[in-house]
């Protein structure tokens, strides 16, 4: 699939999929497979494997490839498969990206490198993403998530990179709506700005953004899709109401209770979250109780 | 005017007015008067005197009262006059608030105290605003502007304070749209969430917010009003387009060039900015050149 | 007293004095007078009136002058009286500084302006302090306390200002010892770097710094002096031991429990803290209990 | 070597060794070997392979093991070999730690995990380090470097972990001297607090700290050792003077010019820095010029 064709598929909702582990920390591909079967029936336009919510930071190279393979095999043809392939080293990111391409990923989501954060100047980031895009067998997207990386790629750098034919978009997870507006105004017209959090989903749609990679879509994919459908059909009040109803759920699974909270909420909603990997801690009873209440109030039980 | 009546007037655009100084730093009430005459012809629902853009931090008690008086005298009856009266001390804030009431302010905008920032817990802020509201002759609004105060009042504290009969709303200048959504969802129904930056104006309107206190309205009041009018009449594309067109201007006068930039831009647009007070520095030639270009591109010259 | 003579007096320990208030918030100069009588018997080289620990942010212009007057009258001739006179406006700072001079202050401690923090560039701060020094009847010192101001004046700006004949030093309250070392290396030789927190007192002395303006000196002045005396006489182990013993007390009264904690600890140690002014909250019973324990462990009861 | 014996070796200076790469990014073990030969003649008590300055974030598992092996083989018997083995996953850290032990590392320096930073509570970090220590064949040390990780492990967590028989110390790279003092006061007596930056070397020694893992020791090991020797022999003025002389060099190679700066400075001082790996950028000519000047002024050319 070429960059332009791929771009046309970036319309709708994509879950940054959690990765189910057994209690002993082993990867459980069967659980992942069953989640895929479930998501295939939901209103989604694709999948992101190996995002932040996938606990990618804890996965080995081999585990990453197996997850991509399983995902690509289970995804229906009309759905796009994105794989998170960004690691700290430019060369290693290229290697993983091209291995992901071989396993069936259609495009790669490349995290901003961040360990040597004060060296990650515009110049360094432009060189990094440009070099990866030059050597990648599939189109790439920038992944900007300062909450985890403490790097917030500048508008200038994005504008510049948006002209690269093999860089087709960016997932911006800041939740900073004025920034999304400025990105839309500054990037090239064919560049896809994707909102990376349900906290900004309705406002992003109102700006004209067409795609959301939303942690919330792991457990409430159809509600996320419904917000977008209502906007499309001009029912803004319905869209806003459903968006506001989902906000407390989103806050719980992204900020307050972290990935363990996301997985437990997914369990409650009929998916299979599995355990988290250490050093993440399992949820306590009180946290579970609160999540149950929050999901109940939102009509997700 | 009682709290409920006042609330009905918080619909539309309000400029947080700059304060014109002479080159020697003296207050120039004549320039302010001429600006008022100009703004009276613009599409505004009221005025904020003594906000952050008024360089309130540099004004004496007497200068503050004279500015309130001049503003109230020049404002037409149907426009609301808000005065920024928050200083660090609770007692002193009450004193200034009631003096402002005597000079014609309809309501007071009360900044979160911030110097002893790690002591400004929910408990302290709830006591502070509650005490002021109890002893104020006019309704008050909370003023949340972490960019300057490094305090971001919690949703919990706002929800609690929103039930006080004499606290009628909050100006939130974070530009954090998911936060605005959460504020709307958590505060009491009669509480007015006012967006405090044009960077979030269109998204805020889409959330159902009805009032903006916008630095940009010092020089482009009718453009700000037009965004809201277009939203009301369902012309979302026009609203969004105008909003995006104004974003670079807003960025220039609020972030990049500060109050000196705002004042120079106001000069260019036909208002009278005057000089800034020291320690703020006057603009250099290059900055002036860039602002001129930005305003030109936005069609404001 | 000229700048050079004054400088020779900046050797030893200075308390940034708390300001006692009555329960209703009124200033209690009698309590302050009694504290002065007590401190006069302690081993101190001077006094700072109107620092951050004085709740200066809550004091009126008149209250400030009365506090300076009372302090200057009660201080013995050989002790230096510093007055905190920095407010946001350059002009207003000059006015207060010269009024302080008339009331008996020997030098002024001038806070970095901070409200419009992103405009407080090196250029702006150099102009601000230079202008004040040019127009001040007494020497000035820079007051750098990012914990409250969120401004950390650059080494470059300090080096530049250190050459002004009427700027004789800086109180640096960062507790950042490598920064103190760099300040010593960069500023002019006659410039006095004063450490502004007991958390860094012993390390600062080891760097060759000779003066500390230490909140802890409100209640444990002789212990602070003793650390310095031990260093002077080469008893480094004693100095270090006493410093380490005081650290938990200092953490309690500066970070954990704020000014209310400082005042209560001062009460326990035989001084008169009085009440705090609102919006600061009085201490709860549990906090009082913990402070008592911490002082007991440190041998201050 | 057991934990106690190892601990006795943590006295002196240790370089967190840079990793030389060829221009194409390949690991150059010959250069590393030649550096080892050089460092063996310098006054050092050991080596840290795979610290932050080693660009560990860019190294593959195999490269890491080869570097450990080469280092251990080249190190004389009386010098301790520390290996940085901390990655995000607890299990993977244990695996690498035990592989490092097999290649000759005497102890492991384990970075705080950081990607899911708001989940890295005391509870999570205590469980993480405790679990690793329980399953590691060699003693471990905690590695705290908020500059890169944005995690600053709490005093409480360190105090707790300091009692684990297989956790023998911590490298603290904050440069926060009051924190070092508090760590010394709170951790168990046998726990080794190691200062992780030359910016705090002399003050740390004055607190009684006995070991420094100092980037500066890559190129100026004997100067670092000399500061400590002077302190030991009571020549505090010499120690302080040399420390102050080295500060600008340290600032250049750690903050301002990053690892590329460190490597170039090492080249100038007679070691072999080699190239950096992408996304780090090579130095420009101006930067090289400035570093040369800074080293010249410090007498390192």
């Amino acid at each position: 699939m070429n960059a332009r064709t791929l771009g046309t598929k970036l319309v709708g909702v994509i879950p940054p999929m959690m990765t189910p582990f057994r209690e002993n920390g082993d990867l459980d591909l069967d659980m992942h497979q069953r989640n895929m079967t479930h998501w295939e029936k939901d209103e989604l336009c694709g999948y992101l494997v190996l995002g932040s919510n996938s606990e990618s930071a804890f996965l080995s190279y081999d585990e990453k490839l197996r997850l991509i393979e399983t995902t690509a095999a289970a995804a229906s043809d009309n759905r796009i498969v994105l794989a998170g392939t960004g690691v700290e080293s430019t060369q290693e990111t290229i290697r993983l990206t091209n291995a992901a391409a071989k396993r069936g990923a259609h495009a790669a989501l490349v995290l901003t490198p961040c360990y040597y954060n004060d060296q990650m100047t515009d110049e360094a980031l432009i060189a990094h993403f440009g070099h990866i895009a030059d050597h990648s067998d599939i189109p790439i997207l920038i992944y900007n998530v300062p909450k985890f990386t403490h790097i917030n790629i500048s508008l200038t750098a994005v504008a510049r990179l948006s002209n690269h034919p093999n860089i087709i978009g960016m997932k911006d997870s800041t939740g900073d709506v004025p920034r999304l507006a400025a990105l839309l105004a500054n990037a090239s017209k064919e560049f896809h700005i994707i909102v990376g959090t349900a906290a900004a989903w309705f406002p992003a749609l109102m700006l004209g953004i067409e795609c959301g990679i939303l942690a919330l879509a792991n457990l409430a994919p159809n509600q996320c899709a419904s917000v977008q459908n209502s906007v499309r059909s001009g029912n803004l009040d319905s869209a806003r109401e459903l968006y506001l109803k989902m906000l407390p759920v989103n806050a719980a699974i992204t900020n307050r209770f972290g990935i363990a909270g996301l997985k437990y909420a997914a369990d409650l909603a009929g998916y299979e979250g599995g355990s988290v990997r250490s050093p993440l801690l399992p949820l306590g009873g009180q946290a579970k109780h609160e999540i149950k209440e929050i999901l109940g109030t939102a009509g997700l039980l």
Side-chain angles (χ1 to χ4, degrees), chain A:
Chain A
M1 228 181 303
N2 69 15
R4 184 151 308 191
T5 314
L6 266 184
T8 62
K9 298 200 157 193
L10 290 170
V11 178
V13 174
I14 294 173
M17 298 180 292
M18 59 204 169
T19 303
F21 299 109
R22 301 203 186 100
E23 268 193 49
N24 69 0
D26 285 354
L27 179 62
D28 191 328
L29 284 175
D30 293 339
M31 288 172 83
H32 179 61
Q33 177 63 62
R34 288 194 295 272
N35 283 336
M36 287 296 301
T37 305
H38 197 329
W39 285 320
E40 276 289 308
K41 296 174 195 148
D42 295 323
E43 189 174 351
L44 295 166
C45 73
Y47 304 99
L48 169 64
V49 59
L50 308 179
S52 298
N53 286 300
S54 312
E55 297 170 67
S56 296
F58 306 146
L59 295 170
S60 72
Y61 187 84
D62 287 342
E63 288 173 330
K64 288 179 179 182
L65 296 187
R66 286 158 64 204
L67 273 162
I68 296 168
E69 215 159 35
T70 308
T71 303
S76 52
D77 283 356
N78 59 335
R79 296 193 176 188
I80 191 170
V81 175
L82 305 175
T85 61
V87 291
E88 288 291 326
S89 147
T90 310
Q91 282 304 333
E92 192 61 20
T93 299
I94 292 170
R95 187 167 82 103
L96 180 54
T97 301
N98 287 334
K102 286 218 183 76
R103 267 68 177 189
H106 301 124
L109 187 67
V110 178
L111 189 71
T112 54
C114 58
Y115 192 78
Y116 302 104
N117 49 78
D118 56 0
Q119 302 297 318
M120 292 301 103
T121 56
D122 274 13
E123 193 190 351
L125 291 173
I126 288 170
H128 175 74
F129 285 108
H131 197 70
I132 293 166
D134 287 345
H135 294 85
S136 167
D137 299 337
I138 46 177
I140 70 164
L141 299 101
I142 301 164
Y143 179 20
N144 188 56
V145 59
K147 176 188 166 184
F148 294 129
T149 61
H150 308 275
I151 297 283
N152 199 11
I153 188 170
S154 77
L155 296 186
T156 312
V158 175
R160 177 84 172 281
L161 290 165
S162 74
N163 292 313
H164 192 294
N166 207 28
I167 307 183
I168 62 170
M170 171 160 84
K171 178 189 182 197
D172 188 276
S173 300
T174 56
D176 180 342
V177 175
R179 177 179 155 93
L180 292 174
L183 285 167
L184 287 168
N186 283 278
S188 87
K189 289 309 147 201
E190 286 112 57
F191 193 73
H192 295 262
I193 304 293
I194 300 174
V195 60
T197 168
W201 183 220
F202 170 73
L205 290 165
M206 295 316 306
L207 290 177
I209 286 174
E210 294 186 299
C211 185
I213 302 181
L214 311 172
L216 182 64
N218 275 286
L219 59 137
N222 296 324
Q223 285 80 354
C224 294
S226 181
V227 171
Q228 187 169 25
N229 294 337
S230 292
V231 166
R232 272 183 194 135
S233 58
N235 295 320
L236 299 190
D237 289 344
S238 308
R240 183 171 42 231
E241 192 184 338
L242 184 52
Y243 158 70
L244 290 174
K245 196 171 170 185
M246 290 300 131
L247 277 185
V249 180
N250 188 64
I253 63 171
T254 57
N255 295 326
R256 187 138 170 241
F257 300 108
I259 294 175
L262 167 65
K263 287 183 158 181
Y264 181 66
D267 286 344
L268 293 176
Y271 300 84
E272 301 188 39
S275 296
V276 290
R277 246 183 202 178
S278 177
L280 292 182
L281 297 175
L283 284 189
Q286 173 60 23
K288 288 185 176 177
H289 176 74
E290 289 186 49
I291 292 172
K292 211 169 202 164
E293 287 227 335
I294 291 166
L295 262 70
T297 304
L300 291 178
L301 295 186

